[in-house]
Amino acid sequence: MMACLRLRSAAIAIALQLFLGGCASMIPAYQRPAAPVAAAYPGVPAAQDSSAAASDIEWQDFFSDARLQRLIGAALHNNRDLRVAMLNIEQARAQLQLRRADELPTVGIGASGSRQPSGSGSIASVYSAGLAVTAYELDFFGRVRSLSAAALAQYLATEEARKNVQIALVSAVANTYLNLLADDALLALTRRTLVTREDSLKLTKLKFEVGAASELDYRQAESLREGARATLAQLMRQRALDENALVLLLGQALPADLPQGAEIGDQMLIGELPAGMPSEVLARRPDVRQAEQQLIAANANIGAARAAFFPKISLTGSAGTASSQLSGLFRSGSAAWSFMPQLLLPIFDSGRNQATLDVANVNRDIALAQYEKAIQAAFREVADALAGRATLGEQLRAQEAQAHAEAQRYKLADLRYRNGAASYLDVLDAQRALFAAQQALVQVQAQQVQNKVSLYKVLGGGWKTP
C-alpha cells in the first residue's frame, strides 16, 4: 500500500515538473545578425553629433511652409495606402489574439442527449449538461507559444510597416509639392522669356521689312519664340501631371483654402541633419526594424515546427449533470464529470513534419537575406543623400554665378547689337544661354531642397506625430 502511494506521489511530481518547468521553448536562440555594411558612410567622419536625430524630429518641425504642412496633414488623414497599413495592424492584432487564445482552454456550456438500443432490447437514454473543455492542448513542447511569438513579431512588423508608409508618404507629398513649386518657377521664367522673345521678334521683323536685318535674323528670332512656346506648353503639361500626383497622395482634391506658401528658393528646412553612425540610423529606420521582426517571426516558426516531432497532449473534459431521463437532468444526485486526456505521438507521417521544418528553416534564411538587403539598401540611400548634400550646395552657388554672368552677357550683346557693334546671332546665342542657365538654376534649387527631404526620410524622420 505504501509503495503504491509513493509511486502515485512520484507520478504526480513528474507531471507537475513537466507542466511547470518542462515546457521548454524549441525556438532557436535569436541574435541580431551583424550589419553587412561599413562602419561609416563614404566621405563622412564617424564622429558623434549631439544634434537631434532625424527620427526624433516631427515633420511639423522639419517643414516650416504652412501650405505644405496642410497638404501633409490632409494626406495622413486621407491617403489609402496609409489606411491599408493601419488596417493591416488591426488584422495582425486580431491574429495575435487568436494565437494567444490557443494558450488557454476554451470553456463552454454544452448539452447532449443520446438514445441507443441496449443488449436487453430496450432503449438506453443518456442526457447531460454542464461546462465543457474540448481538445485543449497542453503546450509541453512550446508549439502553441512558438506560434504566439511568431504572431507577436508579425504584429510588431506591421506597426513598423505603418511607420514606413507614413515616412514615404510625408516625403512623397513634400517632393511632389516642391516639384509643383519648381514648375511654377519655370512657368514664370518661361512666360517672361516668351515676352522678351516676342518683343525681339517684333523688332527684328520691323528691321527686316525696312532692309536693316536679314531674313536669317528674322527666322532665328521666330525659331526662338516658337521654342519658348513649346517649352511653355511642356511645362504646363508637367505641372498638371504633378498636381494629379499630389491629389492622389492626398486622397482628395486640393483644398480650396490653402494658406500661402513659400517659393522654391525660399523653402526653409532644418539645415544640417546629423548622419550619425550607420548602426544608429539602421536601428531607427522602421523598414529595417520591420525586416528584423519578420526574421524573428520566421525564427519562432522553427520552434513550432520542431515541437511537431514530439507528442501532442490534449485534454477534453466536462463537469455538470447527467441522467437517463430528461426530467431528472437537474435533480439532486445527478452530478457527473468526465476527463479524457489524449496523447498523439507521430510515428509515420510520410515526412510531413520534416518538410514543415525544412520550410521553416528556409523561410528563416529568406527572412535573414531580406533583413540584410534592407540594411544594405538603407545604407546606400543614406550615402546617396549625404553625397547630394555635400555637392549640391556648391553646384547651386556655381549655377547662380553662371545665371548672373549670362544675364550680363545678354545685356551687353543686346546693347552692342542695337549700336551696330555685333551681329544678331550674338544676341540670339546669349538669349538661349541665359534661358538655359535660369532653368538650370531653378532645377538645382529644387534638387537641393528635395535632397534635404530625402535625407530626412532615409535617416528615419517623418513617422512621429504629436
Side-chain angles (χ1 to χ4, degrees):
M1 183 69 175
M2 294 299 294
C4 292
L5 289 175
R6 283 196 298 269
L7 181 62
R8 183 176 180 182
S9 300
I12 293 175
I14 292 173
L16 288 175
Q17 287 177 0
L18 283 173
F19 186 75
L20 297 176
C23 303
S25 173
M26 295 191 177
I27 301 176
Y30 175 79
Q31 290 183 348
R32 177 178 291 175
V37 294
Y41 299 109
V44 179
Q48 298 290 330
D49 195 326
S50 60
S51 303
S55 57
D56 297 328
I57 301 174
E58 296 168 358
W59 60 264
Q60 293 91 338
D61 297 327
F62 184 76
F63 300 104
S64 59
D65 189 312
R67 191 181 186 90
L68 177 56
Q69 288 183 350
R70 278 284 304 277
L71 292 173
I72 293 176
L76 293 178
H77 187 266
N78 297 301
N79 184 265
R80 277 19 179 210
D81 289 335
L82 184 58
R83 188 173 300 176
V84 169
M86 297 176 69
L87 292 174
N88 285 338
I89 295 177
E90 298 302 320
Q91 182 185 55
R93 182 183 289 118
Q95 292 290 343
L96 175 60
Q97 182 60 35
L98 286 175
R99 289 302 183 186
R100 286 182 170 174
D102 291 338
E103 298 180 21
L104 299 174
T106 300
V107 181
I109 297 177
S112 64
S114 66
R115 291 172 61 84
Q116 59 184 5
S118 65
S120 61
S122 61
I123 302 297
S125 301
V126 177
Y127 301 95
S128 64
L131 300 178
V133 175
T134 304
Y136 167 59
E137 181 178 350
L138 296 178
D139 195 25
F140 287 148
F141 304 102
R143 189 188 73 87
V144 176
R145 283 177 290 117
S146 295
L147 294 175
S148 180
L152 174 60
Q154 289 290 355
Y155 164 69
L156 296 176
T158 57
E159 173 62 28
E160 299 299 337
R162 195 276 306 169
K163 296 177 184 177
N164 193 47
V165 170
Q166 178 170 326
I167 287 175
L169 179 60
V170 169
S171 173
V173 172
N175 281 325
T176 305
Y177 173 71
L178 294 173
N179 284 336
L180 277 175
L181 294 183
D183 293 339
D184 290 338
L186 289 171
L187 280 170
L189 171 63
T190 304
R191 289 190 176 102
R192 292 195 301 269
T193 301
L194 181 59
V195 171
T196 301
R197 292 184 179 180
E198 290 276 8
D199 294 340
S200 179
L201 178 61
K202 291 178 182 178
L203 178 61
T204 307
K205 184 178 180 182
L206 290 175
K207 289 187 174 183
F208 170 65
E209 290 175 349
V210 300
S214 66
E215 185 177 0
L216 178 61
D217 293 341
Y218 172 66
R219 296 305 177 187
Q220 286 177 328
E222 185 180 29
S223 175
L224 280 181
R225 191 272 307 271
E226 297 305 321
R229 283 183 174 178
T231 301
L232 181 63
Q234 179 184 1
L235 288 172
M236 292 176 66
R237 179 175 67 253
Q238 185 60 50
R239 192 193 186 285
L241 296 178
D242 288 337
E243 184 171 325
N244 292 340
L246 183 59
V247 169
L248 177 62
L249 291 171
L250 297 184
Q252 65 172 56
L254 291 178
D257 58 342
L258 288 174
Q260 185 67 31
E263 296 182 356
I264 187 65
D266 299 327
Q267 288 294 315
M268 300 297 294
L269 304 179
I270 293 179
E272 292 294 330
L273 292 173
M277 302 291 289
S279 57
E280 298 172 349
V281 175
L282 300 179
R284 298 186 190 111
R285 283 190 44 142
D287 57 335
V288 175
R289 293 204 300 260
Q290 176 190 357
E292 183 177 14
Q293 290 298 332
Q294 290 170 341
L295 174 59
I296 294 173
N299 194 63
N301 283 327
I302 294 178
R306 286 177 174 178
F309 286 88
F310 292 85
K312 181 179 179 181
I313 303 173
S314 60
L315 299 178
T316 299
S318 64
T321 64
S323 174
S324 60
Q325 295 182 355
L326 185 61
S327 58
L329 188 59
F330 296 102
R331 290 180 180 176
S332 176
S334 62
W337 60 271
S338 66
F339 179 71
M340 293 175 288
Q342 182 183 31
L343 183 146
L344 178 62
L345 175 63
I347 297 177
F348 177 73
D349 62 356
S350 301
R352 179 179 290 106
N353 286 338
Q354 184 59 50
T356 302
L357 179 58
D358 292 342
V359 169
N361 282 316
V362 172
N363 286 339
R364 192 265 310 274
D365 293 340
I366 293 174
L368 174 59
Q370 291 173 335
Y371 171 68
E372 292 176 340
K373 179 182 177 181
I375 290 177
Q376 291 174 339
F379 184 89
R380 184 264 175 95
E381 289 174 354
V382 176
D384 288 349
L386 292 174
R389 183 173 71 176
T391 56
L392 280 170
E394 177 60 24
Q395 183 180 354
L396 179 60
R397 187 204 63 77
Q399 199 63 57
E400 289 174 341
Q402 183 185 18
H404 178 73
E406 292 295 348
Q408 296 302 316
R409 174 192 169 194
Y410 170 69
K411 290 180 180 179
L412 293 174
D414 185 64
L415 181 61
R416 285 168 57 83
Y417 171 70
R418 293 178 184 274
N419 292 326
S423 68
Y424 190 62
L425 184 60
D426 294 336
V427 177
L428 297 179
D429 183 65
Q431 281 186 338
R432 281 192 295 265
L434 175 59
F435 185 45
Q438 290 173 330
Q439 285 180 308
L441 176 59
V442 173
Q443 292 167 353
V444 174
Q445 286 175 336
Q447 288 175 5
Q448 186 186 42
V449 181
Q450 288 177 330
N451 176 257
K452 292 182 179 180
V453 175
S454 296
L455 185 59
Y456 178 62
K457 170 192 173 185
V458 300
L459 292 176
W463 64 266
K464 281 194 171 183
T465 301

